[in-house]
Amino acid sequence: MAKTNKNQDTEGQILNAAENVFQKKGMDGARMQEIADEAGINKAMLHYYYRSKQLLFEAVFTNAFSLLAPQLNKILNDDSSIEDKVKNFTHNYISFISKHPYLPNFIIQELNRNPKFFEKIQQNAAFPTLEKFKNQVNEEVEKGILKPINGEQLFINIISLNIFPFVATPLIKGFLKIDDKAFKKMMEERKVSVSEFIINSIKK
């Protein structure tokens, strides 16, 4: 049965409220009653849409990932140079995760708890594909644009440098003795510093 506009509006309110609460409290700290209050509905209504906190958390993640995946896939498979891909990927990823900071930890937590979760992610039609990116790296290496590097290793380097600060936020803030505002400023600066670091390491 097709969802009515009212149902879609209510579900959208729930997902927005849940994302806000998950960002503040994390998966373990969030409570269904708190999410219901944030959405302006009663707990029974929330359970009508989502029977458990885990199902709601997965829905929030899937909704966010469905926004990020097409952006990353487009960058990896467009006709721009590897240099531009590194810049655009880094900029888009950091911008997006800054708005959805719970995502990296959720993915790691969920993959450790439920390895089959990755199969769910891969079913997304816009899940990023790497074939064109890897072939392009090989071509630019052959043309002498890039130093010899494996496309898969380069992709892991890009992902690692972009993801780690968000996975280890408390650790980084503690080591550097910075508050949340300074951390956000630093992540904004990483859009350039990460790109330059990677490009300088691979360009001839």
Side-chain angles (χ1 to χ4, degrees):
M1 192 168 90
K3 291 182 180 178
T4 65
N5 286 338
K6 185 175 180 182
N7 284 344
Q8 288 175 333
D9 289 346
T10 302
E11 191 166 6
Q13 281 176 243
I14 291 170
L15 291 175
N16 287 336
E19 180 167 354
N20 289 338
V21 174
F22 286 138
Q23 285 198 40
K24 292 175 195 167
K25 302 291 181 69
M27 169 64 173
D28 293 335
R31 296 287 174 266
M32 291 293 269
Q33 183 63 61
E34 189 177 3
I35 293 168
D37 293 343
E38 179 90 6
I41 60 174
N42 60 47
K43 196 173 176 182
M45 177 67 79
L46 178 58
H47 279 285
Y48 169 77
Y49 283 90
Y50 296 99
R51 293 190 309 277
S52 70
K53 184 170 66 169
Q54 179 65 31
L55 288 174
L56 179 52
F57 202 43
E58 289 186 14
V60 170
F61 166 76
T62 302
N63 188 54
F65 187 78
S66 69
L67 299 175
L68 175 63
Q71 293 180 40
L72 301 186
N73 198 33
K74 183 179 179 185
I75 292 166
L76 290 169
N77 290 284
D78 67 15
D79 294 325
S80 64
S81 66
I82 292 297
E83 180 174 346
D84 285 340
K85 279 180 165 59
V86 170
K87 290 177 181 176
N88 292 334
F89 189 102
T90 298
H91 186 279
N92 280 34
Y93 182 88
I94 292 177
S95 293
F96 189 86
I97 298 301
S98 293
K99 293 176 185 173
H100 307 273
Y102 64 90
L103 278 178
N105 270 316
F106 171 61
I107 295 171
I108 291 169
Q109 170 191 320
E110 196 63 13
L111 287 175
N112 287 331
R113 194 183 68 82
N114 177 16
K116 289 191 174 180
F117 179 68
F118 189 70
E119 293 174 14
K120 282 188 188 178
I121 301 175
Q122 282 184 303
Q123 288 168 8
N124 188 300
F127 187 83
T129 56
L130 284 180
E131 288 312 305
K132 180 169 182 176
F133 178 80
K134 291 191 293 184
N135 291 336
Q136 191 177 350
V137 170
N138 290 337
E139 288 170 9
E140 292 198 16
V141 168
E142 288 173 10
K143 290 177 181 175
I145 299 170
L146 303 180
K147 298 173 185 175
I149 186 168
N150 175 283
E152 292 170 343
Q153 292 288 353
L154 175 56
F155 183 72
I156 293 172
N157 290 343
I158 296 168
I159 286 288
S160 301
L161 285 165
N162 281 309
I163 288 180
F164 184 76
F166 293 100
V167 171
T169 300
L171 184 68
I172 289 173
K173 286 163 74 173
F175 273 135
L176 302 181
K177 295 181 172 55
I178 57 175
D179 60 13
D180 191 53
K181 184 177 180 182
F183 178 81
K184 287 178 180 175
K185 181 175 182 289
M186 182 172 284
M187 290 308 99
E188 190 66 27
E189 291 167 351
R190 279 186 71 78
K191 292 178 183 178
V192 174
S193 64
V194 168
S195 298
E196 288 181 347
F197 181 82
I198 293 171
I199 291 163
N200 290 336
S201 73
I202 63 174
K203 280 200 81 173
K204 277 196 170 181

